[in-house]
Amino acid sequence: MTAIAFYRERSLPFLELKLCTDKSASYKKHFHEEYSLGVIEEGSSTVWCDGRHLDVEAGRLIWIPPYLPHACNPQESSDWRYKMVFFHSDWVHGVIRDAMPARQPFLPDHSTNGLGLGLLNRLAACMTRNLSPLETESSAIALLKAIFPSAAVEGKRSDASVLKPHMIRVKDYLHEHYLEPITLEELERVSGVSKYHLIHSFKKEHNIPPHAYQNMLRINYAKKQLSPERSISDVALEAGFYDQSHFTRLFKHFAGVTPQHYRSSL
């Protein structure tokens, strides 16, 4: 990986990941059009933000609203490594309707910070390993809800009997298109239920979220395709997994053995 790398998924244009390991990096005052959530992974930083200076230690999350001038630079004699995710405003406002922070940097409290850090790392893993759009956006929504736990949820629905037929449509769509890079936007269109409520309601109905359901369908498909005549990497790609290690880990989780072990027993 180069000192500074960006990751984007074409089907999820509202997300961008930046990884930086450049110890010599120095940033002038600037702003982003997107909401930004970052973490210093190594070293410490001094953040100038809208006229204030903040010392941000390793492991601390910082949320910065759009168009807010800021500059984040490593403190002297400090190794420096950080990651940052950029969320387009329209997408954020589609998930959270209020309780967004004012024009100032937002530092989560320590309990929220710990949960958010784990979810940020999970989202980054989705993006760097090119996991499915469904899993990536679901991770992004989970992260946002963890950072703002008291925020109002868009499009509240609570009647399970009303939601059930919507979830049947989602399930049917997953069964018909599981080998494709399904997005939450597609499932939202099919069901007529907002993204957040779709994830919540589907999980309540099936005990797993939509992306995990899709992965199970893909693993079951891969089991049928594995044979001594076929390479594991080809089967993984055909089943929709662009990261073979992710495929192997999920396969072992569901089948109890690796794809290699399973294939050798045929």
Side-chain angles (χ1 to χ4, degrees), residues 78-92:
S78 172
D79 290 340
W80 201 43
R81 180 166 56 90
Y82 75 88
K83 65 166 59 95
M84 180 164 282
V85 178
F86 303 98
F87 306 87
H88 284 207
S89 298
D90 288 346
W91 179 82
V92 170

Side-chain angles (χ1 to χ4, degrees), residues 105-150:
F106 174 72
L107 298 171
D109 61 39
H110 286 288
S111 59
T112 302
N113 192 89
L115 176 60
L117 180 58
L119 291 170
L120 175 59
N121 288 334
R122 189 177 81 178
L123 174 58
C126 288
M127 298 182 73
T128 57
R129 292 161 55 186
N130 198 26
L131 301 190
S132 73
L134 194 56
E135 184 167 357
T136 300
E137 187 174 4
S138 296
S139 297
I141 290 175
L143 171 58
L144 207 60
K145 298 305 295 182
I147 298 299
F148 303 104
S150 62

Side-chain angles (χ1 to χ4, degrees), residues 250-261:
L250 282 178
F251 192 98
K252 185 174 182 180
H253 178 75
F254 291 129
V257 295
T258 65
Q260 176 68 36
H261 187 132

Side-chain angles (χ1 to χ4, degrees), residues 17 21 46 138 257 265-266:
L17 171 68
T21 58
T46 298
S138 296
V257 295
S265 66
L266 298 176

Side-chain angles (χ1 to χ4, degrees), residues 28-42:
K28 294 183 178 180
K29 295 173 184 176
H30 64 285
F31 62 74
H32 305 285
E33 295 183 350
E34 306 88 359
Y35 286 98
S36 310
L37 179 66
V39 61
I40 307 301
E41 298 183 288
E42 184 178 358

